[in-house]
C-alpha cells in the first residue's frame, strides 16, 4: 500500500463519523428541531457499541447496539421537547452532558480491553486495483452506508412527499398544522433518525476508527457535526463536502507533523476548522439564499392551540 | 337546489361556546350553512369570528355545543379531519411556505401519488379554468400578495371542498383582484359548494353574499339578507351604536414641504424584502399624504428608511424640517420634531411585557420631557405622561399602568399613536394606522391624524386600506414593487386608478404602460 493510499484511507475513516452525525442532525434540523445532544448520543453509541461487540464477539451486534442507543437517547430528547415542550437548547445540552457522564460510567469495565474491529469489505477483482482499489472498493460497510444515507437524504428532500413534508414542518409549523400535518409526529421521526445516525457515528469510532473504548473518545466530533450542518446551509451535498474537507485537512496536518514540518501544532489543530468554515462560506456565499434554506422554525417549540 | 328545512343544511353549528380561561370568545353561537350559498360572517375585532371558524376547521375545540355535517353530529378533532369532510380554509395570514415553490405548496395539501410534474399540469388547468393564473415553479417568497392568495384558493379548489371558509380574503387585494375573486366565488356557489366569507368590507358583502350572520361580543345579534341592508345599517349591527364619521374638511392652503424624500434607493436586506427604487415624495405641512399599496410592496422598507432604522446612502435623500437626515439615527430625527408609528404594535411600537409608562419612555426619552435625569428614570413623570396619553385618546385598561401586551389591539394602537401625537410632532409617519383595529378606535385615530395635520404638521400615512385613504388623505401616492408613483390630489384620482397603480398596471405618472403585457 502506497503512502498516498494510506493517507486517503485515513481521511475517509476520519471523515465518516462526521458525515454520519451531520447528515442525521441535518434531517432533524430540517424538521425545525435543534438537537444539541449529538455529542452525547455519539459517545453513548460508542460505548454501547463497543460493549455489545466485546460481549458477543460480533461487530455487527455492536453496530446495532450503537444505533439503538442513539435512537433511545433521541427519543428521550423528543419526549422532552415535543411532548413536554421543553426548551430545545437546554434539553440538547443536558443530553450531551448526560451522555458524556453516563458513557464514562458504563464504559469503566471496558477501558483498555481489546476491541472487535468491523472488517473491510473487499470487492473481488476491484479492490486490488492500484490507488482506487483500496480507497473505493476496500472500505468497511459503514463507509458505504454513510454515503448511501447521504444520497438517500438528498434524494428524499428533493424528490419525495416525505421530504417535502419535513421541509414544510421546519419552515412553518403553524401552516403545516393548519394543513392537517401532525407536526410532533414528523419531528419525532426526524429526531429518531438523527439519533440513529449519531449513535452509528459513535459506534464507528469504537468499532472501526480506534477499536477500543476510551473515555471521551468522541472528542468534540458531535459539535463539529453540528457546525457543519449550519455552515453547509442544510444541504446534504455540502455537508458531505464539508465532512470530507475537515477530515482531509485534519489528517494532512497530522502527516505534516509526522514528517517534521515545523508548524506550531496549535495552528495545525485549528486549521481544519478554518479551512472548512472558509470553504463552506465560499460555496454557500449567497446570504439571501442561505436564509431561504434555513429552517425558519428551528429551535422553536410548537404547541397547537386546543 | 337544496331546501332550507332540516337536513338541507350542509353544516350546522349549534350553541357553540368557547372559553379561554375567564374570557368567553363565543357564547352560544348558532350558525347554519346551506350548499350553494355565500354566507357572510360579520363582526368587529374580538367579536369571535376567527374563534368560530377555527372551531369549524378543527383548529380549536369548542367548550360546549355541537357541529352537524349534513344532518349528522360530528366532531372535528383537527384540521386534517375537517379536510376529510370537505372543509377547506383560506387563512387571513396565509398558510403558505415561503421557501417552497407554488406546486410544492399545493402538493402538501393534495392527497394522492406524489408527482409534482402532473400536479403542476393540474394546477395550470384548474387555475386557468377559474381565471386564477399561476406559475407552478415560482418560489412563493418571490410572489406578490395577490398571487399568494390565488395559490391558497387554487389549493383549496384542488381538494374539491364542499365548504370553503375565507377569512378576510380581500384585505390584501387590489380592487381589481377582489373583483376577480368574487367571480370565482360566485361560480363555486353555483357549483353547489358553500362559502363562509369573513370580511370587514361591508360594500363587498352586500354585493357578494346571500346571507349574513352578525356577531357582537361572542354572540349572534342578527341574521340578515345583506342585499336589503345598507353598509351603515350593517355597521350599526356590528358595533351596536352609530359609528362616527371622520371630519376631514378641505384645509386652507398647504404649507411648505416639511418631509422630503429625494431619489431614495435601498437594496433589500431581508430574504423576502423589497428594494426601494428611486423614491421621491414631498409631504407638506397641513396635509395628510397617503401612500397606498398592497402589503409587501416596500412599505416596511420605506418606513424603516424614514424612521432611521435603516440609514439612507446620502444625507440629502431624506430631509426633515430643512435638515438633511438620511444618515441620522432615529433619536436625532425625533429631536427635529419627527415622530414614527410602525405597523407592528406588539414588538415594534411597544414592548409587550413592559408597562405603558415604560413604553412611553422608549420613544419619548429624548423629546424634551425630562423623563430621564443623568441615567435615572423619573417614574412619576413617565406615569403621568402615560396617564395623559391614555386619557386624551380614550385608552381603556383594567389595571392602572398595565403591561402593553394585556391591552386589546385597538386600545394599544390608540396608545402608541397617542404617545407620538402627544408631543405635537411637526412630521408624523405612520404605517397602517388602523390595521386590525375596530371601527370605533379606527375613527378616533383617523380623526386625530387629520386634526394634527390641520394644526400644521406634515402627516404621512402608509396604508393598504383604500377606504381609510380616501377618508383622510389630501394627496395620494401609490407604492408598487418598491417604486412610488407620482403624488395625486385625492380629488383628482379614483379608486380604480389607484387599484391599477397598486397592481403595477400603469406607469408611475398614471398613464397606461408603454409595453404590452403578456
Amino acid at each position: 500500500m502506497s503512502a498516498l493510499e494510506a493517507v486517503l484511507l485515513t481521511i475517509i475513516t476520519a471523515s465518516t463519523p462526521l458525515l454520519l452525525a451531520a447528515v442525521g442532525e441535518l434531517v432533524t434540523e430540517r424538521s425545525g428541531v435543534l438537537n444539541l445532544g449529538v455529542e452525547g448520543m455519539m459517545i453513548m453509541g460508542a460505548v454501547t457499541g463497543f460493549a455489545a461487540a466485546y460481549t458477543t464477539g460480533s461487530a455487527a451486534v455492536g453496530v446495532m447496539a450503537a444505533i439503538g442507543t442513539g435512537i433511545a437517547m433521541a427519543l428521550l430528547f423528543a419526549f422532552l421537547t415535543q411532548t413536554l415542550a421543553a426548551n430545545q437548547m437546554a434539553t440538547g445540552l443536558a443530553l450531551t452532558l448526560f451522555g458524556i457522564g453516563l458513557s464514562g460510567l458504563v464504559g469503566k469495565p471496558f477501558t483498555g480491553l481489546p476491541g472487535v474491529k468491523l472488517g473491510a469489505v473487499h470487492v473481488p477483482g476491484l479492490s486490488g486495483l492500484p490507488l482506487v482499489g483500496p480507497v473505493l472498493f476496500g472500505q468497511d460497510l459503514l463507509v458505504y452506508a454513510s454515503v448511501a444515507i447521504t444520497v438517500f437524504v438528498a434524494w428524499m428532500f428533493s424528490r419525495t412527499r416525505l421530504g417535502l413534508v419535513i421541509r414544510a414542518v421546519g419552515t412553518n409549523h403553524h401552516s403545516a398544522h393548519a394543513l392537517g400535518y401532525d407536526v410532533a409526529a414528523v419531528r419525532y421521526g426526524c429526531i429518531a433518525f438523527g439519533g440513529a445516525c449519531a449513535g452509528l457515528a459513535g459506534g464507528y469510532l469504537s468499532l472501526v476508527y480506534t477499536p477500543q473504548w476510551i473515555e471521551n473518545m468522541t472528542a468534540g466530533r458531535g459539535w463539529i457535526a453540528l457546525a457543519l450542518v449550519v455552515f453547509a446551509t442544510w444541504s446534504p451535498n455540502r455537508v458531505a463536502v464539508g465532512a470530507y474537507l475537515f477530515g482531509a485537512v485534519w489528517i494532512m496536518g497530522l502527516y505534516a507533523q509526522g514528517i517534521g514540518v515545523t508548524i506550531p501544532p496549535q495552528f495545525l489543530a485549528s486549521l481544519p476548522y478554518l479551512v472548512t468554515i472558509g470553504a463552506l462560506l465560499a460555496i454557500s456565499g449567497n446570504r439571501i439564499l442561505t436564509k431561504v434554506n434555513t429552517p425558519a422554525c428551528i429551535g422553536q417549540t410548537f404547541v397547537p392551540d386546543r | 337546489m337544496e331546501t332550507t328545512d332540516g337536513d338541507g343544511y350542509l353544516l350546522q353549528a349549534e350553541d357553540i361556546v368557547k372559553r379561554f380561561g375567564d374570557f368567553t370568545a363565543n357564547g352560544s353561537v348558532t350558525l347554519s350553512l346551506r350548499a350553494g350559498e355565500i354566507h357572510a360572517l360579520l363582526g368587529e375585532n374580538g367579536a369571535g369570528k376567527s374563534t368560530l371558524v377555527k372551531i369549524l376547521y378543527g383548529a380549536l375545540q369548542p367548550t360546549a355545543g355541537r357541529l352537524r355535517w349534513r344532518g349528522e353530529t360530528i366532531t372535528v378533532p383537527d384540521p386534517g379531519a375537517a379536510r376529510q369532510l370537505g372543509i377547506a380554509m383560506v387563512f387571513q395570514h396565509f398558510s403558505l411556505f415561503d421557501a417552497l415553490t407554488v406546486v410544492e405548496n399545493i402538493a402538501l395539501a393534495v392527497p394522492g401519488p406524489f408527482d409534482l410534474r402532473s400536479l403542476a399540469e393540474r394546477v395550470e388547468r384548474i387555475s386557468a379554468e377559474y381565471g386564477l393564473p399561476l406559475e407552478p415553479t415560482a418560489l412563493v417568497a418571490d410572489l406578490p400578495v395577490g398571487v399568494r392568495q390565488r395559490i391558497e384558493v387554487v389549493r383549496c379548489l384542488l381538494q374539491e371542498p364542499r365548504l370553503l371558509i375565507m377569512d378576510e380574503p380581500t384585505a390584501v387585494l387590489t380592487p381589481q383582484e377582489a373583483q376577480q375573486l368574487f367571480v370565482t366565488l360566485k361560480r363555486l356557489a353555483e357549483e353547489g359548494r358553500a362559502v363562509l366569507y369573513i370580511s370587514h368590507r361591508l360594500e363587498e358583502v352586500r354585493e357578494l353574499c346571500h346571507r349574513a350572520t352578525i356577531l357582537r361580543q361572542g354572540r349572534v345579534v342578527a341574521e340578515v339578507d345583506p342585499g336589503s341592508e345598507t353598509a351603515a345599517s350593517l355597521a350599526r349591527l356590528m358595533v351596536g351604536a352609530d359609528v362616527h364619521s371622520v371630519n376631514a374638511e378641505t384645509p386652507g392652503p398647504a404649507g411648505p414641504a416639511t418631509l422630503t424624500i429625494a431619489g431614495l434607493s435601498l437594496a433589500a436586506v431581508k430574504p423576502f424584502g423589497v428594494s426601494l427604487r428611486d423614491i421621491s415624495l414631498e409631504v407638506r405641512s397641513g396635509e395628510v399624504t397617503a401612500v397606498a399599496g398592497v402589503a409587501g410592496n416596500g412599505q416596511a422598507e420605506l418606513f424603516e428608511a424614514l424612521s432611521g432604522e435603516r440609514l439612507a446612502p446620502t444625507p440629502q435623500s431624506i430631509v426633515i424640517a430643512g435638515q438633511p437626515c438620511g444618515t441620522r439615527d432615529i433619536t436625532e430625527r425625533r429631536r427635529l420634531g419627527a415622530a414614527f408609528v410602525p405597523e407592528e404594535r406588539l414588538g415594534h411600537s411597544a414592548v409587550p411585557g413592559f408597562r405603558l409608562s415604560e413604553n412611553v419612555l422608549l420613544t419619548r426619552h429624548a423629546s424634551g420631557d425630562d423623563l430621564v435625569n443623568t441615567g435615572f428614570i423619573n417614574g412619576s413623570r413617565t406615569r403621568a405622561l402615560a396617564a395623559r396619553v391614555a386619557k386624551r385618546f380614550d385608552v381603556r385598561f383594567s389595571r392602572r399602568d398595565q403591561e402593553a401586551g394585556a391591552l386589546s389591539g385597538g386600545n394599544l394602537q390608540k396608545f402608541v399613536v397617542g404617545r407620538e401625537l402627544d408631543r405635537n410632532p411637526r412630521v408624523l409617519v405612520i404605517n397602517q394606522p388602523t390595521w386590525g383595529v375596530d371601527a370605533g378606535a379606527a375613527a378616533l385615530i383617523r380623526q386625530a391624524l387629520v386634526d394634527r395635520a390641520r394644526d400644521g404638521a406634515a402627516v404621512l400615512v402608509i396604508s393598504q386600506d383604500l377606504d381609510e385613504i380616501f377618508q383622510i388623505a389630501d394627496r395620494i401616492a401609490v407604492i408598487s414593487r418598491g417604486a412610488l408613483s407620482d403624488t395625486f390630489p385625492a380629488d383628482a384620482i379614483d379608486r380604480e386608478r389607484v387599484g391599477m397603480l397598486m397592481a403595477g398596471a400603469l406607469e408611475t405618472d398614471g398613464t397606461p404602460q408603454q409595453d404590452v403585457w403578456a
Side-chain angles (χ1 to χ4, degrees):
Chain A
M1 190 184 286
S2 71
L4 183 59
E5 279 174 14
V7 173
L8 287 176
L9 281 176
T10 337
I11 288 173
I12 290 171
T13 36
S15 307
T16 298
L18 292 177
L19 180 60
L20 280 168
V23 164
E25 177 67 10
L26 180 142
V27 172
T28 305
E29 292 191 11
R30 271 291 181 107
S31 78
V33 177
L34 181 63
N35 186 352
L36 296 180
V38 180
E39 179 84 3
M41 299 189 294
M42 264 180 95
I43 192 99
M44 283 301 291
V47 72
T48 54
F50 181 86
Y54 181 83
T55 315
T56 62
S58 156
V61 173
V63 169
M64 289 300 144
I67 295 174
T69 308
I71 293 177
M73 295 275 286
L75 288 178
L76 174 64
F77 175 85
F79 177 71
L80 291 169
T81 58
Q82 302 306 305
T83 306
L84 302 182
N87 179 294
Q88 292 177 13
M89 314 309 160
T91 310
L93 287 172
L95 195 70
T96 286
L97 295 173
F98 169 67
I100 291 172
L102 186 64
S103 66
L105 181 69
V106 172
K108 199 76 192 162
F110 298 96
T111 313
L113 296 176
V116 185
K117 187 170 163 53
L118 185 71
V121 186
H122 288 282
V123 183
L126 293 175
S127 61
L129 294 172
L131 195 58
V132 292
V135 173
L136 292 183
F137 304 107
Q139 297 288 353
D140 57 89
L141 263 178
L142 296 188
V143 169
Y144 300 123
S146 70
V147 174
I149 289 171
T150 310
V151 171
F152 165 78
V153 166
W155 171 79
M156 177 184 77
F157 279 126
S158 63
R159 290 277 181 275
T160 71
R161 179 184 293 271
L162 178 64
L164 182 59
V165 170
I166 293 173
R167 279 157 64 202
V169 166
T171 303
N172 187 339
H173 44 215
H174 296 291
S175 295
H177 174 71
L179 288 180
Y181 289 102
D182 189 336
V183 172
V186 171
R187 289 185 171 166
Y188 255 93
C190 292
I191 293 167
F193 180 83
C197 289
L200 185 58
Y204 189 84
L205 291 175
S206 65
L207 294 168
V208 180
Y209 193 64
T210 46
Q212 52 184 316
W213 165 249
I214 309 159
E215 207 172 317
N216 272 328
M217 72 185 298
T218 47
R221 285 183 180 83
W223 296 110
I224 295 166
L226 270 163
L228 278 176
V229 176
V230 177
F231 284 114
T233 59
W234 295 273
S235 146
N237 302 331
R238 286 199 285 263
V239 158
V241 171
Y244 276 98
L245 189 64
F246 190 95
V249 178
W250 185 12
I251 295 302
M252 288 196 289
L254 294 180
Y255 271 90
Q257 273 178 303
I259 59 173
V261 179
T262 49
I263 302 171
Q266 291 86 352
F267 178 73
L268 279 178
S270 67
L271 202 58
Y273 300 88
L274 290 172
V275 171
T276 308
I277 290 171
L280 289 176
L281 282 180
I283 54 177
S284 54
N286 186 332
R287 273 173 68 204
I288 290 181
L289 206 67
T290 303
K291 284 195 183 173
V292 171
N293 283 337
T294 308
C297 290
I298 193 156
Q300 293 172 19
T301 305
F302 178 69
V303 183
D305 295 331
R306 295 310 297 162
Chain B
M1 193 73 201
E2 296 181 57
T3 51
T4 55
D5 58 306
D7 299 333
Y9 286 113
L10 183 64
L11 176 72
Q12 292 158 285
E14 296 175 345
D15 303 318
I16 297 289
V17 177
K18 178 67 184 176
R19 290 193 195 94
F20 298 98
D22 295 340
F23 175 68
T24 304
N26 284 167
S28 194
V29 174
T30 296
L31 174 77
S32 310
L33 300 173
R34 283 178 218 134
E37 78 170 348
I38 304 178
H39 192 117
L41 188 58
L42 299 177
E44 286 200 284
N45 289 300
K49 302 175 307 247
S50 290
T51 305
L52 180 63
V53 294
K54 278 182 185 162
I55 289 170
L56 300 183
Y57 189 62
L60 287 174
Q61 296 305 308
T63 313
R66 60 179 178 166
L67 297 174
R68 281 145 73 94
W69 180 253
R70 309 170 102 185
E72 289 188 27
T73 304
I74 50 156
T75 56
V76 189
D78 54 55
R83 292 181 359 157
Q84 292 270 311
L85 288 169
I87 302 174
M89 180 157 171
V90 174
F91 293 86
Q92 185 178 7
H93 304 289
F94 304 145
S95 61
L96 295 177
F97 304 91
D98 281 353
L100 304 183
T101 64
V102 171
V103 69
E104 284 175 333
N105 266 280
I106 292 173
L108 281 164
V110 178
F114 187 75
D115 178 356
L116 289 182
R117 205 163 298 159
S118 73
L119 183 63
E121 284 163 19
R122 268 176 75 200
V123 168
E124 278 185 330
R125 199 175 60 238
I126 292 263
S127 64
E129 198 179 309
Y130 282 93
L132 302 163
L134 283 179
E135 168 55 49
T137 55
L139 200 63
V140 167
D142 296 336
L143 298 174
V145 188
V147 179
R148 295 187 194 196
Q149 172 102 59
R150 272 184 230 155
I151 304 171
E152 287 262 353
V153 175
V154 168
R155 184 163 75 176
C156 286
L157 293 178
L158 280 164
Q159 298 167 40
E160 301 271 321
R162 310 186 74 79
L163 168 61
L164 181 61
I165 302 173
M166 305 199 87
D167 193 354
E168 300 253 6
T170 56
V172 293
L173 299 185
T174 65
Q176 288 83 359
E177 285 169 331
Q179 285 303 326
Q180 197 182 18
L181 179 69
F182 296 162
V183 173
T184 307
L185 292 181
K186 282 176 182 160
R187 181 164 157 200
L188 289 173
E190 279 161 19
E191 290 171 0
R193 304 173 208 270
V195 178
L196 183 60
Y197 190 84
I198 300 178
S199 179
H200 275 299
R201 303 195 174 170
L202 301 174
E203 285 300 340
E204 71 185 31
V205 166
R206 290 185 58 232
E207 176 190 336
L208 184 70
C209 299
H210 304 114
R211 280 198 299 157
T213 297
I214 298 164
L215 294 181
R216 195 195 309 154
Q217 290 169 353
R219 292 180 182 276
V220 177
V221 291
E223 196 186 291
V224 298
D225 169 10
S228 54
E229 298 282 332
T230 63
S233 69
L234 288 172
R236 205 175 305 124
L237 284 168
M238 283 165 58
V239 180
D242 284 318
V243 178
H244 295 289
S245 56
V246 176
N247 174 11
E249 270 176 43
T250 329
T258 317
L259 169 65
T260 308
I261 311 167
L264 173 67
S265 293
L266 270 182
V269 282
K270 293 180 184 159
F272 309 126
V274 177
S275 299
L276 297 180
R277 294 183 286 152
D278 193 24
I279 288 189
S280 295
L281 179 70
E282 284 191 345
V283 185
R284 292 156 180 275
S285 293
E287 285 191 340
V288 176
T289 301
V291 171
V294 175
N297 272 286
Q299 290 95 328
E301 289 79 1
L302 177 61
F303 181 85
E304 285 177 1
L306 290 175
S307 70
E309 287 163 75
R310 267 192 81 196
L311 297 181
T314 61
Q316 291 297 338
S317 29
I318 296 167
V319 179
I320 295 174
Q323 299 281 326
C325 281
T327 54
R328 296 199 195 173
D329 69 19
I330 187 162
T331 302
E332 292 179 77
R333 295 184 198 198
R334 283 196 186 119
R335 287 199 173 114
L336 291 172
F340 310 97
V341 184
E343 174 180 9
E344 196 59 35
R345 283 187 283 279
L346 287 173
H348 199 172
S349 298
V351 180
F354 278 17
R355 293 174 182 284
L356 294 181
S357 62
E358 293 166 322
N359 272 299
V360 156
L361 183 72
L362 294 177
T363 66
R364 297 288 293 272
H365 59 90
S367 59
D369 299 282
D370 289 333
L371 299 180
V372 182
N373 188 2
T374 55
F376 290 93
I377 300 166
N378 186 330
S380 58
R381 285 224 171 108
T382 57
R383 280 192 295 275
L385 180 49
R388 186 169 81 205
V389 170
K391 185 154 182 281
R392 187 173 150 203
F393 290 91
D394 188 29
V395 179
R396 294 169 212 170
F397 37 76
S398 50
R399 265 185 310 117
R400 260 189 61 217
D401 203 12
Q402 223 170 357
E403 279 108 32
L407 259 57
S408 76
N411 274 313
L412 182 57
Q413 185 70 10
K414 283 191 280 189
F415 183 79
V416 296
V417 174
R419 175 179 64 184
E420 304 310 320
L421 286 174
D422 174 73
R423 41 176 294 224
N424 297 327
R426 297 156 83 181
V427 171
L428 176 66
V429 181
I430 182 164
N431 192 3
Q432 316 297 351
T434 61
W435 183 83
V437 165
D438 59 77
L444 187 145
I445 289 170
R446 287 171 191 165
Q447 187 66 57
L449 294 176
V450 171
D451 291 348
R452 184 69 215 128
R454 299 303 175 252
D455 285 345
V459 177
L460 179 64
V461 174
I462 303 171
S463 176
Q464 53 178 318
D465 183 342
L466 284 187
D467 292 334
E468 170 169 275
I469 286 174
F470 279 99
Q471 221 173 12
I472 64 175
D474 302 301
R475 290 173 194 277
I476 298 174
V478 180
I479 193 166
S480 174
R481 299 190 174 222
L484 194 68
S485 74
D486 295 351
T487 310
F488 304 91
D491 48 17
I493 187 166
D494 56 16
R495 278 163 185 268
E496 194 182 345
R497 273 222 299 163
V498 172
M500 289 175 76
L501 282 164
M502 283 161 79
L506 294 178
E507 293 293 332
T508 52
D509 61 1
T511 55
Q513 284 198 329
Q514 303 298 313
D515 45 357
V516 181
W517 275 46

